[in-house]
Amino acid sequence: MPDTPTEAPPIIDMRGISKSFGAVNALIDVDLHLRPGEVLGLVGDNSAGKSTLVKILTGAYHRDAGEVFIDGIPTHFRSPHESRDVGIEMIYQDFALCGNLDVGQNIFLGRWPRRGIFVDRRKMYADAGEVLTRLKVDVNSVYQKVESLSGGRQQSVAIARAISFEPKVIILDEPTANLSVMATERLLETMLELKAQGVAQIIISHRLTDIFQVGDRVMVLKRGENVGDRYVKHTNEHEVLELIVTGTRQTALTADEALAGQRR
């Protein structure tokens, strides 16, 4: 994987995305790009448009204007099922797990492997164990009911389920919001493991510390507009916070412009 993301073509290239809900402009001419193995922090206040942007990417919302390219191919997803088919997975804040089912059943929920008309439980639990091992996630047993797990381990199961689809991109919505300090550290380690395996990630978060610990870039939205796009190594939390609060576009270079400036 290249040291600088600009050396690789983007997996995701969103251009000029706009979306309105009645008289409210949720997004105004927003660009977003993401490259293989890159971790992008998507930040802004509660009305910035972060969730709207990723829901357009996953097909949950339809854009009013703009273009979306996946691996250079123009797309217009009609549903999250279609975005999953091309390798995009989203993990919501509530994890969307079935607490009364065990870990293995949740990882392969809705697609349990079969042998004839029967569920192939041996294969299901073996494959679930392999996914968890790949992520270096410590879960006591694949037979354990999800409702008995801590919030951090439930998050890990949700990530394992996403990984079982072999995605190119994982989107995490406020992944550390309700986790303990220890669980947050474990989750950040998992994110770094995914990055090492070439899985690109978009992290929607209010916790800048987490983004600066695992991220490559941070993109700031303010009232539906992109007001800043920086490489983490070329900025700091204070500068990003200032963009979130003030939305001062005059000081907000794109990440690629910042990198070009460093090379001059």
Side-chain angles (χ1 to χ4, degrees):
M1 190 168 60
D3 291 334
T4 54
T6 51
E7 295 175 10
I11 298 174
I12 293 172
D13 190 6
M14 304 178 76
R15 305 176 187 173
I17 303 298
S18 295
K19 176 68 177 179
S20 297
F21 297 97
V24 177
N25 294 321
L27 294 171
I28 305 168
D29 196 27
V30 173
D31 295 343
L32 180 150
H33 62 272
L34 185 72
R35 294 181 167 87
E38 186 178 27
V39 178
L40 171 66
L42 185 58
V43 303
D45 58 31
N46 289 332
S47 60
K50 307 183 298 297
S51 294
T52 301
L53 185 61
V54 297
K55 285 180 179 178
I56 288 172
L57 174 59
T58 61
Y61 287 165
H62 294 170
R63 61 189 182 268
D64 295 335
E67 298 176 292
V68 177
F69 297 85
I70 307 298
D71 288 325
I73 301 172
T75 62
H76 197 121
F77 299 132
R78 292 169 293 182
S79 71
H81 178 77
E82 293 186 359
S83 65
R84 170 174 282 172
D85 287 343
V86 300
I88 299 173
E89 284 288 326
M90 182 158 182
I91 300 172
Y92 292 95
Q93 197 169 352
D94 64 359
F95 308 153
L97 299 173
C98 294
N100 62 319
L101 300 179
D102 61 37
V103 171
Q105 291 170 321
N106 267 279
I107 289 176
F108 292 100
L109 189 64
R111 54 196 174 95
W112 295 343
R114 293 187 174 274
R115 183 187 299 166
I117 64 172
F118 300 103
V119 175
D120 189 343
R121 293 182 178 275
R122 178 178 295 180
K123 176 174 173 54
M124 179 174 69
Y125 291 116
D127 290 351
E130 288 180 5
V131 173
L132 292 169
T133 299
R134 173 184 168 187
L135 290 176
K136 299 181 180 177
V137 169
D138 178 23
V139 172
N140 291 334
S141 170
V142 292
Y143 303 101
Q144 187 173 359
K145 292 289 180 65
V146 161
E147 63 190 2
S148 69
L149 299 175
S150 66
R153 285 191 166 85
Q154 287 188 24
Q155 177 76 278
S156 295
V157 173
I159 293 174
R161 183 177 61 190
I163 284 296
S164 70
F165 285 95
E166 297 293 334
K168 299 175 183 177
V169 177
I170 292 181
I171 304 166
L172 300 105
D173 185 11
E174 297 290 351
T176 62
N178 300 312
L179 301 185
S180 67
V181 173
M182 185 175 296
T184 295
E185 287 301 316
R186 282 199 300 264
L187 178 59
L188 296 178
E189 289 172 4
T190 299
M191 291 178 185
L192 290 173
E193 184 63 30
L194 289 172
K195 178 180 176 179
Q197 296 176 20
V199 179
Q201 298 162 74
I202 298 175
I203 305 171
I204 302 172
S205 181
H206 287 91
R207 296 176 63 164
L208 293 181
T209 301
D210 296 343
I211 289 172
F212 273 77
Q213 188 168 337
V214 300
D216 297 297
R217 261 193 314 126
V218 57
M219 174 176 158
V220 184
L221 292 180
K222 180 76 172 179
R223 298 190 187 92
E225 295 186 77
N226 183 349
V227 297
D229 189 339
R230 306 289 181 87
Y231 284 119
V232 165
K233 63 184 178 181
H234 295 153
T235 188
N236 55 58
E237 291 186 35
H238 176 77
E239 182 181 23
V240 172
L241 184 60
E242 184 178 3
L243 287 169
I244 292 171
V245 173
T246 67
T248 306
R249 295 182 64 95
Q250 288 82 353
T251 62
L253 301 177
T254 68
D256 290 336
E257 288 171 342
L259 182 61
Q262 291 283 330
R263 287 174 171 168
R264 290 193 184 103

